[in-house]
Amino acid sequence: MTTAETTPPPTIRREDYRPPAFLVDSVELHLALHPGATRVTASLTMRRNPAAAPAADLELDGEALTLISSALDGAPLEPGRLARLPGGGLRIAGVPDAFTLRTEVEISPEANSELSGLYLSGGNYFTQCEAEGFRRITFFPDRPDVMARYTTTIEAERAACPVLLSNGNPDGAGELPDGRHWARWVDPHPKPSYLFAVVAGDLVAARDSFTTQSGRDVALAIYVRRGDEDACGHAMDSLKRSMKWDEDTYGLEYDLDVFNIAAVSDFNMGAMENKGLNVFNTKYILARPETATDTDYEGIETVVAHEYFHNWTGNRVTCRDWFQLSLKEGLTVFRDQHFSADQGSAAVKRLSDVRRLRAAQFPEDAGPMAHPVRPDSYVEINNFYTATVYQKGAEVVRMMRALIGEAAFRRGMDLYIQRHDNQAVTIEDFAQAMQDASGVDLSRFRRWYGQAGTPELRVRDAFDPASGRYTLTLSQSTPPTPGQPEKLPVPIPVRMGLIGADGAELPGAGVLLLEEAEQDFTFDGLASRPVPSLLRGFSAPVRLSGLSLEQLGFLAAHDSDPFVRWDSGQQYAVAEMLRMVQEFRAQKPLALPEGLASNISALLDGAADDPAFAAEALVLPSEDFVADQMDTADPEAVHAVRQFLRASLGTRFMARFAALHDELRDAGPYRTDGISTGRRALRNTALSYIGRAEGGDGIARAARQFETGGNMTDVLSALRVLADSDAPERETALAAFHARWRGDDLVLDKWFTIQAISSREDTLRVVEDLLQHRDFDLRNPNRVRALVGAFAAGNPARFHTASGEGYRFLADSVIALDAVNTQVAARMVGPLAQWKRQDAARGAIMREELRRILARPGLSKGTYEKVSKGLAA
Ligand code: TRP
Ligand code: ZN
């Protein structure tokens, strides 16, 4: 995992793909679990791949494995036929065409802080094999195009590990001497090694069942630590709704007798779709009204669905190589977004998906790590589990569906699965299935997979009153990205409509397909100049420009499409904020723009009709989103302007915000339906404005809500207001929160985050102190993300403090983390690598800090890749 100082780690290229020289038909695994020394015995039934170039020797991946013994077809292998490969793999000289290889290795779960392979968390055993963790369990051709049938036997001490789980269906269990026991699992479906999993420990199950459309009963279980069984209801309910939705929407049925989920508090990401045994970060399973926010509840629903949907898009049909990652991730995000949209308000779900895409993916696509949805090369594959592969990949699938239509898309999915079931395939295979099922030529559309960068879509229009003809001129260009200086036009579906001066929708709505660099679209028979409503539902992941402030204000007030209404309001606010940033820099006094105030007033007028939408629309664009529209960011100025606007809007509309805050109080038990969460969101948006208002009673309201709030959404919103303030209530509330929740990891994470994202000027100092807090733990990724990640990625004003101390803090954290968990360390580098966005002075310090990281001996290849690419840009 670590590299020698002098040799840069190799780059893996998509064009170098070669089929595997050997295939594995079946795997018999035996794991004898011990914390410090686990024995893994693997019997692999192997044969030469007829489709590959002949190879004399067999090469297997391996990492951090101690080889105990090995045998080929029952005969021990003499040391002369074995060689260790540089990364820790194994080469076996001169193997026959078909054979059985048996290896026995020792590994140490206890010493595994990387959380890849087999590791311990709270005394229980978990595995994480995607992308390349299986090689840390046994020697194996650890690549997704080697699919095998697995039988797994686990043995462990019964008292410490009453529960023994693996993939597939249970197939026997029994007692052993010395207080040990065993269980065997058989997975009938061939799978790549990254989907292997074992979970063992003292866990308890929340149970339920599901009857599939063909009438088979599936036993469902969610395994958690004792005491958490009562916090699995929402996850279980989400699972059953996902199973039903996939049957109803795609005819896809579950294919084993059991579906198990295990939750773990030490986990590198959100969750993992191992066949029949999903492993989840506890953050995406456990929820009680008093501990989880509405956002947490939404996250659980989405992630449970996402992992379940992988059973077909990812597991039954998998990826040929890791360059095809979006084949499973983009498609599965598309599916989970569609599912969640179907559960409640599709419009509000779309706004939050787009907000996320713009917050994470657009900057990535404009930064030093920019890469296509299907990357061409990587150094460390873990660095490519990105917003581009996931979120932009989902947008590409969404556009494809818009182009060929819903019915053809469903036929395309059927064809894709029928053609490729139990195969490891490419993005090209997916596009081909969609093309064949629809008869639509998608050859140009495939550019979306190969070209990085966010296209810029510009609009001009002209109206000829004499003929009644309206002409829309749409043009596109994509800025250069590292390694891709020249860009081609991509087909952009622009869903649109025309709005008359009275605010009424005119004929002519539809989808314009912009395929060239520039095209005219004409509309006849119009009495007066319309306002164009473009990119309805955010029909393509592009940046739109060319509308006037006046047109944006008009659309925000009148458009029938909720996305355009919301986005036009946001773009209007961005335009005003950018103007104010210039005034602030020129040391002119700031004033509340009346146009913006009247937009907010109109939103407040309509708030009762759709509280969830109003809550989204009332929130000002984030500081990052505004800074992202500037040639050179100015975090201090943007922060000052946004805080000024929050305060002056809060002051101007104090009475109306206070009325909302009073009226929308939850009555009755906590519910997570769209209406209830929308009401809470609006109420807490109101509270946040009152909290900034001059002469308001925001602190008193927040303190009261903090003390009496019946759910975590309300309590945390109140604490957020207090944590941003200088009021004495701040310290009391933070101390009370810590005292109440110190035993609950997930709630304690919120306590760290709320302090890390505080707008107070002393936040960096507070964060540095929290790093030394007894509850902080560098080995727990959730805690690291809650403090270090939240500060660096969620508090631009304080992270970018002109002294550079924020940068030094992050670099120190990355260096410390790289020795503990390289995946998490590499993921923290991002904010430092965006130095080009900052002014020269900040940029110089950021580069200095990147160089300091790079100079560390033994840096992991993942961190090396992020830092060196960050510096090169
Ligand atoms: N495949 C997982 C998902 O998106 C994510 C994943 C990839 C992951 N690598 C991981 C999860 C490492 C945990 C640890 O559904
Ligand atoms: Zn996924």
Side-chain angles (χ1 to χ4, degrees), residues 406-482:
E406 277 177 38
F409 186 81
R410 169 63 204 269
R411 290 198 302 277
M413 281 291 286
D414 291 351
L415 182 61
Y416 169 65
I417 283 170
Q418 174 217 317
R419 262 186 197 167
H420 300 300
D421 190 14
N422 292 321
Q423 293 178 10
V425 303
T426 63
I427 283 175
E428 192 56 36
D429 293 320
F430 177 76
Q432 193 61 45
M434 286 297 162
Q435 175 161 322
D436 293 347
S438 65
V440 177
D441 179 3
L442 293 171
S443 40
R444 253 202 185 194
F445 183 81
R446 286 162 163 85
R447 285 179 187 168
W448 277 104
Y449 285 112
Q451 191 165 281
T454 307
E456 287 165 9
L457 173 66
R458 269 175 303 275
V459 55
R460 273 180 291 138
D461 63 356
F463 180 64
D464 175 15
S467 63
R469 168 169 284 197
Y470 177 66
T471 306
L472 264 180
T473 305
L474 299 179
S475 63
Q476 62 165 303
S477 64
T478 303
T481 54

Side-chain angles (χ1 to χ4, degrees), residues 828-846:
M828 292 287 146
V829 174
L832 274 178
Q834 294 281 7
W835 56 270
K836 266 204 172 157
R837 301 278 320 121
Q838 301 300 323
D839 60 29
R842 286 186 173 84
I845 311 175
M846 293 170 91

